[in-house]
């Protein structure tokens, strides 16, 4: 993988569902992996910075894991709420290259 | 809470004109970035800047683009001769040089550029 890839591109879930999505990145020369949340008409907001293999971070209902050896990170949202609707971006490397994002829509 | 401010919020220009987008990063931040997002596409890295020089730049950041820190506060992106495909939302971001916040980018609200 030469670039940062995110999947799925979009996701529609019902309120209360738990969901997860993936960020894949080059596994060599790992520096740091970032997750950002981006709501429409706002600027991206930092969620997590992950630096160590096996890292697991949590903020409320949102958590993230990191596997630097295989080059992926998962973002989990437990009990999705409509206010979780946003695009979730991951960024990789010292120059902060972003993936295309996963657009999450949570229906009430 | 400290924030990154960008001006203008929206600029409309004619193809071939020069445009300067301005950013005021958070005062103790020393790393600065420009990104853009063409409507419906992903956020793309343009350039990073540290210690008064470009650290890294992407393939998008060609000779038409330049960045400058003309004084202690502003960080500008100049597009010399705009093209239609330069129409996008341009985001400035900054981060601390070290410490807990060193890896976290703070973004501005963006400048929308429309090239006609």
């Amino acid at each position: 993988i030469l670039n940062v890839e995110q999947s799925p591109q979009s996701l529609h879930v019902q309120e209360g569902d738990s969901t997860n999505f993936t960020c894949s990145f080059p596994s060599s020369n790992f520096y740091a992996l970032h997750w950002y949340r981006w709501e429409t008409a706002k600027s991206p907001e930092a969620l997590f910075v992950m630096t160590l293999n096996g890292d697991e971070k949590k903020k409320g209902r949102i958590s993230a894991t990191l596997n630097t050896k295989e080059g992926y990170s998962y973002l989990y949202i437990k009990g999705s709420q409509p206010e979780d609707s946003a695009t979730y971006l991951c960024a990789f490397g010292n120059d902060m290259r972003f993936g295309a994002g996963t657009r999450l829509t949570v229906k009430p | 809470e400290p924030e990154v401010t960008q001006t203008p919020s929206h600029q409309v220009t004619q193809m071939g004109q020069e445009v300067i987008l301005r950013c005021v990063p958070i005062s103790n931040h020393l790393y600065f970035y420009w990104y853009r997002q063409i409507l419906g596409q992903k956020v793309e890295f343009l350039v990073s800047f540290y210690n008064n020089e470009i650290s890294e730049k992407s393939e998008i950041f060609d000779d038409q683009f330049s960045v400058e820190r003309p004084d202690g506060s502003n960080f500008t992106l100049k597009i010399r001769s705009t093209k239609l495909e330069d129409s996008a939302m341009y985001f400035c971001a900054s981060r601390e040089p070290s410490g807990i916040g060193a890896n976290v980018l703070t973004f501005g609200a963006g400048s929308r550029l429309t090239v006609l």
Side-chain angles (χ1 to χ4, degrees):
Chain A
I1 295 171
L2 298 178
N3 295 309
V4 180
E5 296 174 2
Q6 290 188 248
S7 62
Q9 276 190 328
S10 66
L11 199 50
H12 290 76
V13 301
Q14 288 295 133
E15 183 175 354
D17 287 351
S18 293
T19 186
N20 68 85
F21 23 93
T22 308
C23 173
S24 302
F25 52 85
S27 54
S28 58
N29 298 318
F30 179 79
Y31 180 76
L33 190 283
H34 299 234
W35 282 100
Y36 286 82
R37 182 169 178 274
W38 192 8
E39 287 183 75
T40 304
K42 295 185 180 179
S43 50
E45 172 197 354
L47 286 174
F48 304 114
V49 179
M50 310 186 79
T51 54
L52 298 174
N53 185 42
D55 249 357
E56 183 168 344
K57 300 215 171 174
K58 191 174 179 182
K59 186 187 273 190
R61 293 178 292 100
I62 305 177
S63 60
T65 60
L66 178 68
N67 183 322
T68 60
K69 293 182 180 177
E70 294 182 35
Y72 65 84
S73 175
Y74 293 137
L75 189 79
Y76 300 90
I77 303 178
K78 187 178 176 182
S80 305
Q81 299 296 308
E83 57 264 31
D84 296 329
S85 297
T87 296
Y88 291 82
L89 299 167
C90 68
F92 171 79
N94 196 32
D95 60 355
M96 300 290 285
R97 305 277 176 141
F98 280 86
T102 293
R103 184 185 297 276
L104 175 67
T105 304
V106 183
K107 299 174 187 174
Chain B
E1 188 171 323
E3 58 182 28
V4 175
T5 56
Q6 289 186 241
T7 54
S9 56
H10 187 193
Q11 181 155 357
V12 181
T13 190
Q14 294 290 325
M15 193 168 57
Q17 294 295 304
E18 176 182 283
V19 160
I20 297 177
L21 304 178
R22 290 183 169 78
C23 170
V24 179
I26 293 173
S27 61
N28 66 328
H29 287 190
L30 295 181
Y31 289 86
F32 313 119
Y33 301 78
W34 281 103
Y35 294 86
R36 77 173 185 190
Q37 190 208 20
I38 296 171
L39 187 64
Q41 297 184 27
K42 63 184 267 187
V43 174
E44 298 173 297
F45 168 77
L46 292 178
V47 66
S48 60
F49 190 88
Y50 172 70
N51 202 25
N52 287 319
E53 60 183 25
I54 290 173
S55 305
E56 300 204 48
K57 60 183 181 178
S58 71
E59 53 281 357
I60 301 168
F61 195 87
D62 60 22
D63 293 342
Q64 291 288 87
F65 291 89
S66 62
V67 288
E68 201 176 37
R69 195 146 191 249
D71 52 44
S73 59
N74 287 287
F75 177 52
T76 61
L77 175 70
K78 182 193 287 186
I79 309 173
R80 284 190 185 76
S81 177
T82 51
K83 300 181 278 233
L84 295 176
E85 54 265 36
D86 293 327
S87 295
M89 195 77 168
Y90 288 80
F91 289 98
C92 172
S94 69
R95 66 178 177 93
E96 292 178 19
S98 61
I100 294 173
N103 283 320
V104 177
L105 289 180
T106 301
F107 283 84
S111 292
R112 181 173 297 284
L113 176 65
T114 302
V115 182
L116 302 176

